Amino acid sequence: MTRSVRVAAGQLGPIQRDDSREQVVQRLVDLLRQASDAGCDLIVYPELALTTFFPRWFVDDITEADHWYERSMPNDATQPLFDEARRLGVGFCLGYALLEDGAGGVHRWNVQTLVERDGSIVGTFKKVHIPGHEEHEPDRPFQHAERYYFEPSPDGFGVWDAFGGRVGMMICNDRRWPESYREMGLQGVEMILCGYNTPLHYAPDPSQDPLQSFHNSLVMQSGAYQNGTFVVGVAKGGVEEGVPSLCDSRIIAPSGEILAAAQTEGDELIVADCDLDWCQQYTGTLFDFDRYRRPEVYTRLTTQRGVKRMSAVK
């Protein structure tokens, strides 16, 4: 008996600054209903799916940006999504900005929350690799001040029992780092859910601009193959507040093959049937970690942060 999950990538077109939460949630509900009509068990939404990508603007007083963050999940604006998901029996993964008041003060996170088919919350993941910059850089055509608006996760990468398998999450820049996939691979992950917002222009090195689509597929396909896992990458793209961003949502197999790919720059649903037992064809052979990994010679991976140029031992 196969363990099959029919998964949908719910790509979003642009969300403009003046779009309300209620307007956006209605778009999410529309995609959810399409996923239900297609017989899906799970729909994955992009990073920061409730708002425009607000780190493109810098404010001197960060509290002026508090309205972009959620303080609870679900809340009044998102409850209709939870209610409809429960009614239809379709789970979802939602990316958003979270503001938490805790004993250590105020924390601002970039998160994804995974919700099962019965409406129960499975887990919430905080983004690990925060890209961009911390200070205002006025010479840029737009800011990428994620390191000002979000702190990096102290938790790392978890994997949850959900949808009949082992499910992990990562967000946007996390997909570029092989450690993200391997951390989850070592926990038996079978499906990784990743939302992203990726501007087509990269100010520190514009030569990478025409490679955005190539790099997007490259990292997710290699991560899927090298860890024997499905990867669902979902974009919020198109021209948002004058900034063109990558779409190219993908559902990728443990073989590294692309099972489904978005064709537009707007709201779009792509679907694939994912037999989770397919993972074993890779994790039980070429990537049998217990048989072939050599952690005793990988010590730099956890003891060294930057590059150190040392002579090799003869």
Side-chain angles (χ1 to χ4, degrees):
M1 182 177 179
T2 62
R3 295 178 300 129
S4 185
V5 178
R6 175 164 275 202
V7 65
Q11 176 176 288
L12 288 177
I15 297 174
Q16 308 302 348
R17 187 171 193 159
D18 292 334
D19 292 346
S20 68
R21 294 288 204 291
E22 289 73 21
Q23 289 173 309
V24 176
V25 168
Q26 185 56 56
R27 289 166 62 183
L28 300 180
V29 169
D30 289 345
L31 287 166
L32 176 75
R33 290 170 177 161
Q34 292 178 41
S36 176
D37 290 343
C40 294
D41 303 293
L42 168 65
I43 179 171
V44 185
Y45 297 115
E47 174 190 31
L48 298 178
L50 297 175
T51 66
T52 197
F53 186 75
F54 61 87
R56 69 170 58 96
W57 300 293
F58 196 90
V59 294
D60 291 327
D61 180 357
I62 198 170
T63 62
E64 294 177 12
D66 284 356
H67 63 286
W68 298 118
Y69 296 78
E70 313 306 312
R71 292 178 178 268
S72 63
M73 188 59 61
N75 53 39
D76 289 345
T78 58
Q79 191 62 54
L81 177 63
F82 278 77
D83 292 343
E84 188 69 352
R86 184 183 302 109
R87 185 184 76 82
L88 295 172
V90 179
F92 64 89
C93 183
L94 179 68
Y96 56 96
L98 177 65
L99 191 152
E100 283 187 331
D101 290 309
V106 174
H107 298 280
R108 292 175 171 83
W109 311 108
N110 187 340
V111 306
Q112 283 183 179
T113 290
L114 180 62
V115 179
E116 256 285 8
R117 289 159 285 196
D118 62 359
S120 62
I121 290 178
V122 176
T124 295
F125 166 78
K126 301 180 179 81
K127 188 173 182 176
V128 172
H129 300 98
I130 308 295
H133 51 97
E134 300 90 339
E135 306 292 338
H136 185 37
E137 298 186 10
D139 292 337
R140 288 177 178 248
F142 56 89
Q143 302 298 299
H144 199 139
E146 281 193 63
R147 294 175 72 88
Y148 177 68
Y149 285 107
F150 300 116
E151 51 186 295
S153 170
D155 305 324
F157 295 95
V159 172
W160 291 264
D161 291 319
F163 298 91
R166 296 282 287 163
V167 181
M169 291 181 275
M170 61 185 179
I171 300 174
C172 198
N173 191 44
D174 291 330
R175 76 193 192 279
R176 301 186 189 278
W177 295 85
E179 294 90 344
S180 304
Y181 303 88
R182 186 51 47 89
E183 274 286 314
M184 290 183 272
L186 288 169
Q187 299 173 72
V189 74
E190 295 170 312
M191 181 175 286
I192 298 175
L193 314 178
C194 178
Y196 59 89
N197 284 241
T198 300
L200 291 175
H201 174 59
Y202 182 55
D205 179 15
S207 72
Q208 297 182 33
D209 293 0
L211 299 172
Q212 293 288 8
S213 179
F214 168 68
H215 287 157
N216 179 55
S217 288
L218 174 70
V219 292
M220 292 194 294
Q221 289 179 258
S222 58
Y225 168 64
Q226 290 170 344
N227 294 276
T229 182
F230 291 91
V231 175
V232 185
V234 190
K236 173 155 65 70
V239 181
E240 186 178 272
E241 292 296 325
V243 178
S245 291
L246 182 71
C247 287
D248 286 8
S249 298
R250 299 277 187 264
I251 302 174
I252 299 164
S255 61
E257 297 169 281
I258 296 174
L259 302 179
Q263 302 299 314
T264 74
E265 293 187 350
D267 294 10
E268 180 181 353
L269 195 82
I270 60 172
V271 175
D273 289 309
C274 301
D275 178 1
L276 301 182
D277 291 330
W278 191 354
C279 300
Q280 179 62 26
Q281 291 179 222
Y282 291 88
T283 59
T285 58
L286 283 169
F287 298 110
D288 181 338
F289 292 162
D290 186 57
R291 180 175 176 83
Y292 296 120
R293 285 190 80 247
R294 297 284 314 284
E296 67 276 13
V297 299
Y298 308 152
T299 55
R300 288 185 186 86
L301 296 180
T302 56
T303 60
Q304 181 177 317
R305 184 167 180 172
V307 174
K308 295 181 181 179
R309 300 184 183 278
M310 296 176 285
S311 298
V313 177
K314 293 183 180 180

